[in-house]
Structure formats: structure tokens, C-alpha cells
């Protein structure tokens, strides 16, 4: 299904060709509509350079998506999508049980997510693995992703070991591939399992250069005692080949038996290169992960990806989707959100964006394993827990409120249906009431007028459950705030504070769970229908009595209150905290879930009062 709207351009617009107007971001203080509009004019009437000038001007003025901007104002325009799982440096030597194929993202799902991210400002997509060439439909997938270039995608890249790439490469380039990275950690054929593998990779490199892929990048993870003696051999390759060799510092991943002694800081490698060659520093782009250099007189260049000794987190613009569909905002982070499950539950694209936005907003300033080499690698890896405590013990634990946009554009307090550039989906009015029978009698023929408080969801004539009819009620602005507590114990308290819980970031996952729950209240409570919410926030904080306090606030413009949405958000967030921490403590207690305040509607404002 096409996720973009096509409209006929007005006669006054002469120089615009198909492009995507990405959505104006929503902030806590403003409501802005998101739109995707494609203007079409005959190509033969528009000079190509004028088209490019117009597109460049629009791109420069266009505000970047709030969903892909984190709280440190980093704008994420680069998406990495894993097609397979197998990776030498990220997995244990004994291997792991790979995910069954039906649990991996399908091509349709990958394209769906790619369209969604491109509509919000992603202009570079890289297909990675494992080894992406293992995927049988890789050529067709690249072709479908290549179609997104008319909507703002600029770079479509792939990272491969190059062994099985040569046969597919010409067609991949034809379908839109314009950047290639080849992982090559040794130039010694004897270090390959078969010599023919090395020959295939070298042939693929030459073929990529011949096809005009510039720059063609070689990724080399340098490991002390394994391939560090070959660094100068890689530099020599740049003499005649138009390649960019990037030396990557060996990084720790859970299970890869990382050894600090194997890490070689880039400064040491650079000194060794300068001892033989005359080296000049090249200009780095703001979002480059590599520090670029060139040897005078050489055709190619080289660089260093310094993830360990000089991290580039401050300018990170990357998001990752794993082969099984989990969104990772940081390669080193534990927190993941399953976009695959949401897609298969037919969650609307707007809700997907809100969930993605919540994850991006909770991205840390830097990954925990990055450190300046002068601070001592020994200190970092002696024990992860003690290092983390030392580095972050004085930092306050803050979980920001997350704001979400309207599904509809709000203008003069009137809701107007607005399509965001994705497939339209129906909205239902929520039918719920906690009013007494005197108010309900005005909207239900089954009730009689009385001042005696009764249960509005019971038909007095039959005693059966009944949905209250609120069709004649006027919509008003309503809010509801609820709270709850989870007593988690000291051990879980410490792990949450240090973000070392085995399942990941407890607060981020619980926040998202609570927000989703508020939206699904009508599906969870039988006589509540879906309510169009304009704002949901779920805040969690640690208390000194070894507990987690949860506060949820819900806002809407509607014909009935949002009390149940707020209470449901607190309840599900609390259950998620329990689930995330149960491996540490099964004696946790969820308690004191209550409505704190509500406003709006005929009954006006109400606040909880403690009773003695």
C-alpha cells in the first residue's frame, strides 16, 4: 500500500518535481499537522538543476521531525536495518540459537518501516547483518527501498563480507544501491577458511570501484595479536585503489569474550602509519563516525572509528532495527522496542511514530562503555557495575515527561480529520460515563429521572450491563491524573538506578507500556470504547523507600472523562516494572493505585482527599 499522498500541483508551481513534505513536529506547547505531499509536474518542462535547487531550498527550511529528535537535540537521519543475525564480533564463539525465519522482519515489513522513517527525515538507510547477501530477495528489497529516493532518501548502502556479492552487485547498483562497505579484516589469504573466499572479496572490491561506488569503504576491526600487523598493508591498498579503509576499534558486546588487551587505540595505529607515510588530516563531516586521513600521493584514504577511546556519541544520528524487528537507539544499549510485534498487531503508523519517538527521547547522552583511553581501559572493564557507579553516581535519575501529538489537527478547538501521509484508519468515540442517573437520564431512554446515585452501566429495567449513550453530550476538554507504587526492594532499586537490569531500561519500557495501555483502554475494559487522546504522559521515579512511583496524566477533548485511561496507564506501567524486575525480586508489591484528579465535563473538577 502506498504510504504517500499524491495531489495535483497548482498552476503557479512550475519548478517542483516529486518530493516529500515531511511532517511539522509536535511539541508540548504547540499542535502542528504532519503531512506528506507529492507535487507532480512534467519532467521534460523542468530543468534538472532548477529542480535540485528547489529541493535543496525546501530541505534547508524544513523542520526536522520531533519523533526522531532526542532530548539532546540530536537529529537522527540514518537508519541501519539488519537483515540477518550472524556476526563474528557481536556473538559468542560457540554461537547462539538463531531466530526462526517467521520471527524475522518480512520484506513487506522492512519496506513499511523504511517508508515511515523516510517520511520523518531519514535520508540514509544501510542494510547490514550479519551478512545481508544471505537474504534471497535482497535485490528486490533494494529495488523497493530505492523507490524511496523520490521521497527524500539520499543514500542506500549495504555492508557485506563481499564473498557472495559480486554476482548481485551490478543489479543492486541498478536498483538504487549507491554506497558499499566491505568487511575485510585481513589481507592474508591463509587466514581465510578457503583461499577462494579472499579472491572473491578482492574481485568484488574491484567491481564496486568499476561500477562507480564512491567511496567504497573497507571496514577492518583491528585486534591486537590477530591482524594489527596488517594495518600498513591496508594503507598500501589506498595507493592505487579509490577506497576508504576504516580501522575500527575492537568493541565489547555481551558474549563475545571481549578482552581489553586486544584493543588497540587509534592513536597508536596512527603513530605507526605516520612512521612510514606522510599523512594529512581530511575534513570530517559533522555526523562522520570515522576520523579521516590520507597519505600524500595515494588515490584512496583511510580513517579510524574510535568507538572506545574517543566516542562520537555527541553527534550520533543513527538508529538501528534488528533482524527480528527491534528498534535500538544505541548499539550498546539494552533497551529495545519490538516494531515487528506492533506491525503484526496492525498498530496504526501514527502510534508507531509515537512509540519510536518515546524510545528516541530516552536515548542516553553516550553509551556506557565509551571512555577516554587516558581514563584507563582497566578501570572501565574490571567490573562493569563498579565503573558505572563511579561514573554516574552523582547524576540524578530523571525520566522526562513525553508529549504526543493529536491524531487530528486542532483548529479553534475543533477536531478536523487529517491524514498524515499514511494509510487512513478509523477513529472511534469512547463511550463511558461515571455520572449519576440524573445525568444519564438525559441521554438514555432506559433510565428514569432520579437524584439517587446509581451505576450508569446497568440497565435498570433488566439489570444487565449496558453501554451508556453519550451521543447528545457536548465535548469538553478533560484531564485525568492517576498514581501508583511498586515496592521493588533494594537490589532491584540499585540495578534500575544504574540501568543494569538484565532486560534493559526499566523506566523506558514501562513508560511506553503505560502510554500504549492508555490508548488500549477501550479494548481492555468491556464497556469503555476507544477515546481519542491528545496527550499521554507516564512518569516514573525512584523513591527512598525502595519503591517506584508512577504518575500518569491523560488529556482529551471528548464527551466523557479519561479517568480509566489514566488508571490503566498506571496499572500496566506497574506490571511492566514487575515483569522487568522479577528475575531479581519476586516479592514486589503493587499498591495504592488511585485517581488523583480529574477536570472537565458537567461535574467539573475533582481531587482525591486522604481519609483518616
Amino acid at each position: 500500500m502506498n504510504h504517500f499522498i499524491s495531489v495535483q500541483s497548482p498552476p503557479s508551481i512550475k519548478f517542483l518535481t516529486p518530493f516529500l513534505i515531511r511532517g511539522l513536529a509536535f511539541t508540548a506547547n504547540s499542535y502542528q499537522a504532519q503531512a506528506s505531499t507529492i507535487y507532480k509536474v512534467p519532467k521534460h518542462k523542468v530543468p534538472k538543476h532548477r529542480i535540485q535547487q528547489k529541493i535543496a531550498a525546501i530541505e534547508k527550511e524544513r523542520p526536522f521531525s520531533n519523533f526522531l529528535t532526542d532530548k539532546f537535540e540530536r537529529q537522527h537521519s540514518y537508519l541501519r536495518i539488519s537483515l540477518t543475525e550472524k556476526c563474528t564480533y557481536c556473538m559468542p564463539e560457540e554461537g547462539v540459537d538463531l531466530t526462526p525465519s517467521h520471527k524475522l522482519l518480512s520484506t513487506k515489513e522492512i519496506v513499511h518501516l523504511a517508508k515511515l522513517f523516510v517520511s520523518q527525515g531519514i535520508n540514509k538507510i544501510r542494510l547490514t547483518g550479519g551478512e545481508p547477501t544471505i537474504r534471497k530477495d535482497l535485490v528486490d528489497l533494494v529495488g523497493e527501498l530505492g523507490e524511496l529516493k523520490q521521497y527524500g532518501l539520499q543514500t542506500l548502502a549495504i555492508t557485506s563480507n563481499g564473498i557472495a556479492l559480486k554476482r548481485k552487485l551490478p543489479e543492486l547498483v541498478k536498483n538504487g544501491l549507491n554506497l558499499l562497505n566491505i568487511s575485510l579484516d585481513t589481507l592474508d589469504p591463509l587466514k581465510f577458511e578457503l583461499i577462494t573466499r579472499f579472491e572473491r572479496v578482492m574481485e568484488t572490491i574491484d567491481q564496486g570501484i568499476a561500477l562507480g561506488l564512491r567511496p567504497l569503504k573497507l571496514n577492518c576491526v583491528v585486534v591486537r595479536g590477530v591482524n594489527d600487523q596488517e594495518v600498513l598493508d591496508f594503507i598500501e591498498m589506498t595507493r592505487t585503489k579509490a577506497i576508504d579503509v576504516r580501522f575500527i576499534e575492537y568493541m565489547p558486546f555481551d558474549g563475545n569474550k571481549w578482552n581489553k588487551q586486544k584493543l588497540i587505540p587509534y592513536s597508536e595505529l596512527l603513530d605507526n602509519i605516520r612512521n612510514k607515510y606522510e599523512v594529512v588530516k581530511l575534513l570530517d563531516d559533522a555526523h562522520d563516525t570515522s576520523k579521516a586521513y590520507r597519505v600524500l600521493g595515494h588515490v584512496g584514504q583511510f580513517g579510524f572509528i574510535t568507538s572506545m577511546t574517543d566516542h562520537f556519541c555527541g553527534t550520533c544520528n543513527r538508529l538501528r532495527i534488528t533482524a527480528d524487528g527491534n528498534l535500538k537507539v544505541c548499539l550498546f544499549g539494552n533497551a529495545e522496542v519490538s516494531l515487528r510485534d506492533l506491525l503484526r498487531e496492525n498498530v496504526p503508523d501514527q502510534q508507531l511514530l509515537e512509540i519510536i519517538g518515546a524510545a528516541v527521547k530516552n536515548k542516553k547522552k553516550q553509551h556506557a562503555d565509551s571512555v577516554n583511553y587516558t581514563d584507563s581501559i582497566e578501570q572501565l572493564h574490571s567490573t562493569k557495575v563498579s565503573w558505572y557507579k563511579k561514573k554516574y553516581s552523582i547524576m540524578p535519575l530523571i525520566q522526562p515527561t513525553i508529549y504526543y501529538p493529536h491524531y487530528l489537527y486542532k483548529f479553534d478547538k475543533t477536531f478536523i480529520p487529517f491524514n498524515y501521509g499514511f494509510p487512513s484508519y478509523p477513529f472511534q468515540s469512547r463511550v463511558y460515563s461515571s455520572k449519576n442517573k440524573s445525568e444519564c437520564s438525559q441521554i438514555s431512554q432506559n433510565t428514569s429521572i432520579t437524584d439517587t446515585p446509581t451505576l450508569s452501566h446497568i440497565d435498570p429495567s433488566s439489570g444487565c450491563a449496558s453501554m451508556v449513550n453519550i451521543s447528545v453530550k457536548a465535548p469538553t476538554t478533560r484531564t485525568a491524573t492517576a498514581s501508583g507504587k511498586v515496592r521493588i526492594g533494594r537490589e532491584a532499586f540499585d540495578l534500575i538506578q544504574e540501568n543494569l537490569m538484565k532486560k534493559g531500561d526499566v523506566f523506558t519500557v514501562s513508560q511506553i507500556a503505560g502510554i500504549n495501555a492508555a490508548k488500549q483502554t477501550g479494548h481492555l475494559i468491556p464497556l469503555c470504547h476507544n477515546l481519542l487522546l491528545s496527550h499521554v504522559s507516564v512518569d516514573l521515579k525512584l523513591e527512598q523507600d525502595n519503591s517506584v512511583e508512577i504518575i500518569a496524566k491523560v488529556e482529551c477533548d471528548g464527551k466523557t472523562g479519561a479517568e480509566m485511561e489514566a488508571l490503566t496507564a498506571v496499572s500496566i506501567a506497574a506490571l511492566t516494572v514487575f515483569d522487568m524486575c522479577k528475575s531479581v525480586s519476586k516479592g514486589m508489591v503493587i499498591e495504592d493505585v488511585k485517581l488523583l484528579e480529574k477536570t472537565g465535563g458537567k461535574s467539573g473538577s475533582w481531587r482525591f482527599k486522604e481519609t483518616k
Side-chain angles (χ1 to χ4, degrees), residues 453-467:
T454 60
L455 298 176
S456 60
H457 286 302
I458 295 180
D459 185 340
S461 62
S462 64
C464 297
S466 173
M467 181 181 296

Side-chain angles (χ1 to χ4, degrees), residues 520-535:
Q520 298 297 318
T521 301
H523 298 288
L524 299 172
I525 301 176
L527 297 181
C528 290
H529 285 191
N530 292 336
L531 183 63
L532 187 62
L533 304 179
S534 55
H535 169 216

